[in-house]
Amino acid sequence: QVQLVESGGGLVQPGGSLRLSCAASGSMFVIYAMSWYRQAPGKQRELVAGITSSSRTNYADSVKGRFTISRDNAKSTVYLQMNSLKPEDTAVYYCNVVIGGGVIYWGQGTQVTVSS
């Protein structure tokens, strides 16, 4: 069993920055892909950014150039640095990890609100 604990969400003004963290813990496991998704009210959950075990990254077009995903394998933690935030970035952000056997775990979600 894997537990994911997210942190770093909050209220920020347009143009501001936030850094999300997601730490994985639990039974011995190998983490392959780690990703961040988000879900705004009335919308489907969407992929924001992902990073593989070899640190290859991919981003949604809407966040390219503003968000950066990274991971610290020693700490089993994935980060999302979000800069130049816009009101349309407002959503609940979820951490997602894929471990051996293709098993997927989700975090509990952290609210990000961009508003003046």
Side-chain angles (χ1 to χ4, degrees), residues 32 51-57 71 73:
Y32 292 103
I51 184 166
T52 68
S53 56
S54 58
S55 295
R56 287 187 302 171
T57 60
R71 62 190 285 173
N73 291 327

Side-chain angles (χ1 to χ4, degrees), residues 26-83:
S27 303
M28 292 297 294
F29 53 84
V30 176
I31 297 177
Y32 292 103
M34 307 182 83
S35 304
W36 288 96
Y37 285 73
R38 68 186 180 187
Q39 187 166 19
K43 294 188 177 181
Q44 290 188 332
R45 191 172 296 190
E46 64 174 357
L47 175 66
V48 176
I51 184 166
T52 68
S53 56
S54 58
S55 295
R56 287 187 302 171
T57 60
N58 64 289
Y59 297 91
D61 288 343
S62 60
V63 307
K64 283 181 180 177
R66 300 187 298 122
F67 292 10
T68 302
I69 189 171
S70 61
R71 62 190 285 173
D72 183 335
N73 291 327
K75 296 181 179 179
S76 299
T77 299
V78 62
Y79 305 96
L80 185 68
Q81 177 66 43
M82 305 184 294
N83 299 328

Side-chain angles (χ1 to χ4, degrees), residues 4-7 20-24 34 36 76-79 95 97:
L4 300 177
V5 178
E6 300 164 358
S7 60
L20 305 182
S21 299
C22 174
M34 307 182 83
W36 288 96
S76 299
T77 299
V78 62
Y79 305 96
C95 171
V97 300

